[in-house]
Amino acid sequence: MFCIQCEQTMQTPVGNGCQYAMGMCGKTAEISDLQDVLVYMLQGVSAYANAAREVGVVDADADAYIPQAFFSTLTNVNFDETRLIEYTAKAIETKVRLKAAYEAACTLQGVEPRVLAGAGQFEISAEKAAMLSQAPATAVNRGLSDVGEDIVGLRLLVLYGLKGVAAYMEHARILKKQDEAVYAEFHRIMARLGEDPSDLNELLELAMACGHLNFKVMEMLDAGETEAFGHPVPTKVNMKPVAGKAILVSGHDLIDLQHILEQTKDKGINVYTHGEMLPAHAYPELGGKYPHLVGNYGSAWQNQQKEFANFPGAIVMTSNCLIDPNPGAYADRLFTRNIVGWPGVTHHTGQDYAEVIAKALECDGFKYDEIPHYTMTGFARNALMAAAPAVVEQVKAGNIRHFFLVGGCDGDKQERNYYTEFTKAAPQDTLLLTLACGKFKFNDLEFGDINGIPRLLDVGQCNDAYSAIQLALALAETFDCGVNDLPLSLILSWFEQKAIAILLTLLALGIKDIRVGPTVPGFLTPNLINHLHEQTGLRLTTTVEQDLADILG
């Protein structure tokens, strides 16, 4: 195996990464290799989807399927070899269908079909042994000895960013938000990656194209969520258990939570969010409608083995990030949904949650109420826009000196205490925006307010970076300046591919001087880091004291 897509990777140089019997995330070498073969096959399918569009052939089923299957290869998503082989089998069928449709359209139009290169020519059977035999040829660091670490590192930057985009595309599709132009651009980038480009400038352009694409997808996902559940409103959420039977919902897909809430009404079951589902409480059609959505249990994804083991009810993983459930002995009450999978864990399909409800009623539930402890969420796009005039007034009055967006992925490395210490050290005349599971490093702290404006504003899930961008654009328009002229600094934590997609979005939009940590993504070589720093000001976090001094002068 070779995998270097997340911050847990064992070694950082592009030639190393996780390459032993098991990755740090818990996936085996065979799972990693099956994922590589699937990704390369999907790039070949995209090659035909891209070519087919040139002759007017659009396959909606292929458009929906390819990002979905690509999503299955993200960190902490699917560890089930049977499902990965099934995805590959469907990819093979899809490629055969697209190729036939493309060639038929070329014949009708008197056009010579293009001979596709790279992944477009890849053929394989959907059998485990056959797939594993092709793993070396499809490894994501293929060609390293020929093109060098910088080129492979850039290929991986685009590939991993596009994985994050694919995940958001699938989240949006579930909410019935699809766009033919988005699919066309996705296939274009995916197909080109399957040809192993080796020009540095072209790869940088592909990275920025990936960022622009992700911005459009986040806009679609924002529309899907707000149309389905209303615009989030600032909401106080209890972070402690209350007595009663219980279901815990983790992941990102709000529609799954809605179905569970609707089907547990009047059944004496309390529903809790976990991790990135915390912002659900702020949506009027979720937290505002169902009183048995009683609070949030636990914190970020990396603590789930302990927290899930202590949760006395059924647990539903709607999307990433899943960790091996076996050490905590809760696999028998864990249910995966959508693209998530673990061998031996029940995979729930359809919208009838009777099995989950039965398991919750069978479990003990919480015996007593704990003393409530609250956090705030719901400062998404509309709430931020409504607060903007008051914020502008406080800025003009000199009461707000600077804005810090401190958010991103959480993780268990000791260096991540930086984000806790940074928010605690930020001066009292600064505002803190946060999003994604990185918020759990500090969202239980009390930061006070500035003349009625809370100093900590939880924007929502990782995809709600879209809301933060909208606020920045609105403030720049109000102050008649560029976004980079605002007193705004982005302090981001990365872990996996969604964070890379968001970083590429910010860079593509021209936002400069972003700080990212706690470590350099392993696929970015020193040369690439230097290049990105020269072009965009991107830099690594250092110490809290040094970074605050550099930012605030």
Side-chain angles (χ1 to χ4, degrees):
M1 70 178 290
F2 171 81
C3 186
I4 199 169
Q5 67 183 5
C6 79
E7 199 226 355
Q8 285 183 123
T9 188
M10 292 176 183
Q11 300 180 54
T12 54
V14 172
N16 294 319
C18 291
Q19 53 177 324
Y20 305 103
M22 180 174 289
M24 291 296 289
C25 65
K27 70 181 176 185
T28 65
E30 286 191 346
I31 291 294
S32 179
D33 289 347
L34 291 173
Q35 289 180 346
D36 286 350
V37 174
L38 172 58
V39 167
Y40 197 60
M41 173 55 68
L42 292 171
Q43 289 173 336
V45 183
S46 277
Y48 273 102
N50 185 54
R53 275 174 162 78
E54 297 172 1
V55 290
V57 175
V58 175
D59 187 321
D61 289 339
D63 287 348
Y65 177 69
I66 298 170
Q68 181 189 69
F70 196 30
F71 184 8
S72 74
T73 69
L74 264 74
T75 302
N76 296 97
V77 176
N78 200 310
F79 301 79
D80 188 336
E81 70 173 44
T82 300
R83 303 250 316 274
L84 291 170
I85 293 170
E86 289 173 352
Y87 295 147
T88 305
K90 186 169 180 178
I92 293 169
E93 294 171 3
T94 303
K95 182 180 176 184
V96 170
R97 185 177 73 246
L98 276 169
K99 181 180 179 182
Y102 168 60
E103 292 176 347
C106 287
T107 299
L108 285 173
Q109 297 174 31
V111 175
E112 185 70 22
R114 287 199 290 115
V115 177
L116 303 185
Q121 297 184 346
F122 184 58
E123 302 289 344
I124 195 171
S125 64
E127 297 175 353
K128 181 179 176 181
M131 291 176 66
L132 292 177
S133 71
Q134 292 297 316
T138 62
V140 293
N141 65 339
R142 58 185 179 272
L144 177 63
S145 60
D146 296 323
V147 298
E149 288 191 341
D150 291 343
I151 294 302
V152 170
L154 269 181
R155 289 176 184 171
L156 295 178
L157 175 64
V158 182
L159 177 70
Y160 295 151
L162 198 59
K163 280 194 182 189
V165 178
Y168 290 136
M169 289 171 71
E170 175 61 9
H171 293 321
R173 187 196 66 83
I174 289 173
L175 292 168
K176 305 187 186 312
K177 289 296 178 183
Q178 297 174 271
D179 185 284
E180 200 279 326
V182 164
Y183 285 124
E185 179 68 349
F186 172 83
H187 291 310
R188 182 187 75 85
I189 300 171
M190 191 78 159
R192 185 63 184 123
L193 283 175
E195 296 172 343
D196 294 338
S198 57
D199 180 78
L200 184 141
N201 289 325
E202 181 192 4
L203 285 164
L204 287 170
E205 289 174 1
L206 286 174
M208 294 303 100
C210 185
H212 286 297
L213 176 62
N214 191 55
F215 183 71
K216 175 61 178 175
V217 174
M218 288 196 300
E219 181 181 40
M220 291 165 53
L221 182 50
D222 176 86
E225 290 177 336
T226 54
E227 289 173 15
F229 312 114
H231 284 276
V233 295
T235 302
K236 187 167 68 171
V237 181
N238 184 16
M239 304 293 282
K240 296 295 183 179
V242 299
K245 303 290 185 176
I247 294 175
L248 183 64
V249 185
S250 189
H252 300 75
D253 290 318
L254 302 178
I255 192 72
D256 294 321
L257 175 63
Q258 185 184 50
H259 290 312
I260 291 170
L261 288 168
E262 185 62 28
Q263 293 172 38
T264 50
K265 285 192 306 185
D266 304 320
K267 284 187 167 58
I269 298 175
N270 293 323
V271 178
Y272 298 80
T273 57
H274 171 265
E276 286 266 53
M277 293 297 279
L278 167 62
H281 291 267
Y283 286 89
E285 291 299 311
L286 296 173
K289 183 175 180 179
Y290 298 98
H292 63 297
L293 181 60
V294 296
N296 187 82
Y297 177 86
S299 52
W301 66 272
Q302 76 275 5
N303 302 316
Q304 68 185 251
Q305 286 179 327
K306 177 180 178 181
E307 293 173 349
F308 287 6
N310 292 330
F311 185 81
I315 304 163
V316 179
M317 286 293 303
T318 69
S319 68
N320 58 310
C321 304
L322 177 65
I323 300 178
D324 182 357
N326 294 304
Y330 52 85
D332 64 327
R333 49 192 174 84
L334 175 67
F335 299 83
T336 57
R337 280 284 293 161
N338 306 316
I339 209 69
V340 194
W342 189 276
V345 169
T346 300
H347 185 69
H348 185 276
T349 59
Q351 298 178 354
D352 182 351
Y353 285 87
E355 188 177 16
V356 175
I357 292 169
K359 178 60 69 173
L361 293 172
E362 175 188 314
C363 295
D364 292 339
F366 289 103
K367 298 299 185 184
Y368 55 85
D369 296 349
E370 292 191 20
I371 298 173
H373 179 78
Y374 295 96
T375 191
M376 291 288 293
T377 190
F379 294 95
R381 178 165 51 88
N382 268 25
L384 290 175
M385 293 303 104
V391 170
V392 169
E393 181 180 334
Q394 295 301 315
V395 172
K396 290 181 176 178
N399 297 321
I400 296 177
R401 179 176 24 154
H402 205 86
F403 300 85
F404 293 107
L405 173 59
V406 186
C409 309
D410 201 2
D412 57 7
K413 285 191 174 181
Q414 183 67 25
E415 294 94 327
R416 289 180 178 272
N417 290 335
Y418 167 93
Y419 299 94
T420 309
E421 298 307 316
F422 188 97
T423 56
K424 289 165 65 175
Q428 292 298 307
D429 59 355
T430 62
L431 282 185
L432 303 165
L433 284 80
T434 190
L435 49 81
C437 62
K439 68 169 69 77
F440 287 103
K441 283 292 183 219
F442 46 81
N443 72 338
D444 59 343
L445 302 177
E446 180 56 55
F447 291 98
D449 65 86
I450 299 175
N451 295 326
I453 300 171
R455 285 193 61 231
L456 179 64
L457 303 174
D458 180 4
V459 178
Q461 295 182 337
C462 52
N463 52 281
D464 289 314
Y466 177 77
S467 292
I469 292 168
Q470 294 304 309
L471 175 64
L473 294 173
L475 290 175
E477 182 177 353
T478 298
F479 288 107
D480 192 24
C481 66
V483 172
N484 292 309
D485 299 316
L486 290 170
L488 169 67
S489 298
L490 279 65
I491 318 294
L492 305 180
S493 53
W494 86 282
F495 182 85
E496 46 84 49
Q497 297 83 72
K498 287 180 176 178
I500 297 300
I502 290 173
L503 176 62
L504 291 180
T505 296
L506 296 170
L507 295 179
L509 293 174
I511 297 176
K512 297 186 179 299
D513 300 324
I514 300 170
R515 284 170 166 79
V516 64
T519 56
V520 178
F523 46 86
L524 291 182
T525 66
N527 285 340
L528 294 177
I529 288 289
N530 289 337
H531 182 83
L532 290 171
H533 176 71
E534 291 171 1
Q535 297 297 314
T536 69
L538 181 71
R539 66 196 71 200
L540 261 185
T541 55
T542 60
T543 66
V544 169
E545 295 76 15
Q546 186 62 57
D547 287 344
L548 280 172
D550 290 345
I551 293 167
L552 298 176

